[in-house]
Amino acid sequence: MSIVDQKTPGEILDFGWDYSDQLTPGDVINGSIWEVSVELNVISQGYDSTAASFFASGGAVGDFVSAKNRAVTEQGRTFERTLYIQIVAEKNS
């Protein structure tokens, strides 16, 4: 499963996954780590009971960046999801 998003080099944005529709009742995320291509500067990363996210800046126009998340739940499930970020000169509204 993957998604594609866009950012400009000057933007500082958050990206992430919402796992709430995949968690069983009573299960929560209790750990998360992001592996992000070197083209982006990861400012911070974190998680709450249902989602994992990171803030990033940078990138060069034309870069196509991957960000892989591994989230572990209290009941022992492990999710791995990759999202892709295209670095563009300008975003359309």
Side-chain angles (χ1 to χ4, degrees):
M1 181 183 300
S2 62
I3 60 171
V4 176
D5 207 342
Q6 293 183 331
K7 75 174 283 311
T8 66
E11 291 180 306
I12 299 173
L13 297 176
D14 58 318
F15 300 93
W17 284 105
D18 180 352
Y19 293 100
S20 59
D21 63 340
Q22 298 162 2
L23 296 169
T24 59
D27 201 5
V28 296
I29 294 174
N30 66 359
S32 170
I33 188 149
W34 287 92
E35 297 173 15
V36 180
S37 300
V38 297
E39 294 89 350
L40 285 184
N41 176 33
V42 176
I43 297 167
S44 66
Q45 58 180 306
Y47 64 92
D48 61 23
S49 61
T50 61
S53 63
F54 68 96
F55 274 84
S57 65
V61 173
D63 286 348
F64 199 71
V65 180
S66 65
K68 180 180 179 180
N69 180 242
R70 177 185 285 251
V72 180
T73 73
E74 191 173 85
Q75 294 178 1
R77 291 173 183 80
T78 300
F79 297 106
E80 287 189 349
R81 303 289 183 267
T82 302
L83 61 88
Y84 299 93
I85 304 160
Q86 181 181 22
I87 310 301
V88 296
E90 185 177 313
K91 291 187 345 187
N92 295 329
S93 299

